Amino acid sequence: MTKLSNRKNMPYFSEQTFQNQDFSITSLTPGEYDNCQFLQCKFSGLNLNGFSFENCSFKNCDLSNLKVPGVAFRNIKFEGCKMLGIHFHSANPFLLEFSFQSCQLDYCSFYNLQLKKSKFLNCRMLEADFTQADLSSADFQGTDLSGVVFNRTVLEKTDFRNAQGFRLDPELNRIKGARFDLDGLPGLLGKYGIKVG
């Protein structure tokens, strides 16, 4: 269903499925997308300035180098997507909520974002940046966090079980109640030169 939304007379798309579309060739119409599905679509390099996505899912899509200034992401699910180098910190922070499963998120920036209870499950996030982000009760189970920056990050009750490659300084980050397994302790204690096992 397509109609005009109340906001800036932008087109409104509801409960539509977009499949196998290359939006770098046929551009995606600027507007508000609610309860829409994007399956095996290509968004790489697009500028989605001003778009709004609510209750949408992206599955097996390529969103690498996507530009997201002012974009609203509300209750969005990404699954099996390639998402290299996205600066999520430029998105609209109001009611920002998304989850990632089996996604490639290398070099993405989540600087200073409120990401409480966000899920990053079985992902690869090489050198992503979470400086000053709030990741309270977030879930990183099974994710490769090699080179990820945690600096003045809130990680209280965050789940790092089965996560690999992470290094975080307990003196620079708030980690009360965070969950680690034994394999993760070297990433937590590395700066102290402590050997585990």
Side-chain angles (χ1 to χ4, degrees), residues 23-113:
F23 294 119
S24 61
I25 296 171
T26 57
S27 59
L28 184 64
T29 304
E32 296 188 35
Y33 292 81
D34 185 22
N35 273 301
C36 292
Q37 285 189 311
F38 298 89
L39 308 173
Q40 296 165 325
C41 293
K42 187 173 181 181
F43 296 83
S44 53
L46 286 185
N47 187 333
L48 297 182
N49 184 16
F51 280 66
S52 172
F53 299 95
E54 191 162 351
N55 304 311
C56 293
S57 63
F58 295 80
K59 192 167 184 179
N60 300 322
C61 294
D62 183 355
L63 301 109
S64 295
N65 299 309
L66 192 68
K67 312 292 187 289
V68 294
V71 175
F73 290 111
R74 299 185 182 131
N75 190 30
I76 307 302
K77 293 189 168 97
F78 297 97
E79 186 179 341
C81 292
K82 185 177 180 183
M83 310 179 71
L84 307 180
I86 301 174
H87 293 170
F88 285 105
H89 65 262
S90 67
N92 183 344
F94 183 67
L95 297 178
L96 181 74
E97 183 185 353
F98 37 43
S99 65
F100 304 88
Q101 183 160 359
S102 304
C103 291
Q104 193 176 343
L105 290 152
D106 303 352
Y107 315 113
C108 287
S109 172
F110 299 89
Y111 171 78
N112 203 34
L113 289 178

